[in-house]
Amino acid sequence: VVLVKLDDEAAKEYSLSLEIDDTNAEVWYNIGNVYCTQKKYQDAITSYSKSLALDPKHDGCYYNLGNAYYLQK
């Protein structure tokens, strides 16, 4: 229960960050991580894809994107 609450708080903070600058690849990556922990895999895939569009050299993002596709089954 505590982890879910922290994830919800993190998602809110990241959303506020995107209102200021939606071109920050790291924020999109972190939002994807939050969605993955919430098992919202399609939302995670969308966030990771946005992150990679902004920073195609983000190795960890490719890894997490692959995991989200795998877990989506």
Side-chain angles (χ1 to χ4, degrees), residues 1-45:
V1 176
V2 174
L3 182 59
V4 171
K5 186 173 182 178
L6 290 175
D7 286 343
D8 289 341
E9 288 297 316
K12 288 178 190 175
E13 293 298 321
Y14 289 133
S15 293
L16 290 173
S17 295
L18 289 176
E19 287 179 20
I20 296 167
D21 179 12
D22 67 350
T23 64
N24 187 321
E26 197 65 24
V27 172
W28 283 110
Y29 172 72
N30 288 327
I31 289 173
N33 290 340
V34 170
Y35 283 139
C36 260
T37 62
Q38 295 175 337
K39 299 183 180 179
K40 297 179 181 178
Y41 300 118
Q42 188 55 53
D43 291 331
I45 290 166

Side-chain angles (χ1 to χ4, degrees), residues 42-57:
Q42 188 55 53
D43 291 331
I45 290 166
T46 299
S47 295
Y48 291 141
S49 296
K50 288 180 181 181
S51 177
L52 288 169
L54 295 165
D55 180 8
K57 295 182 180 182

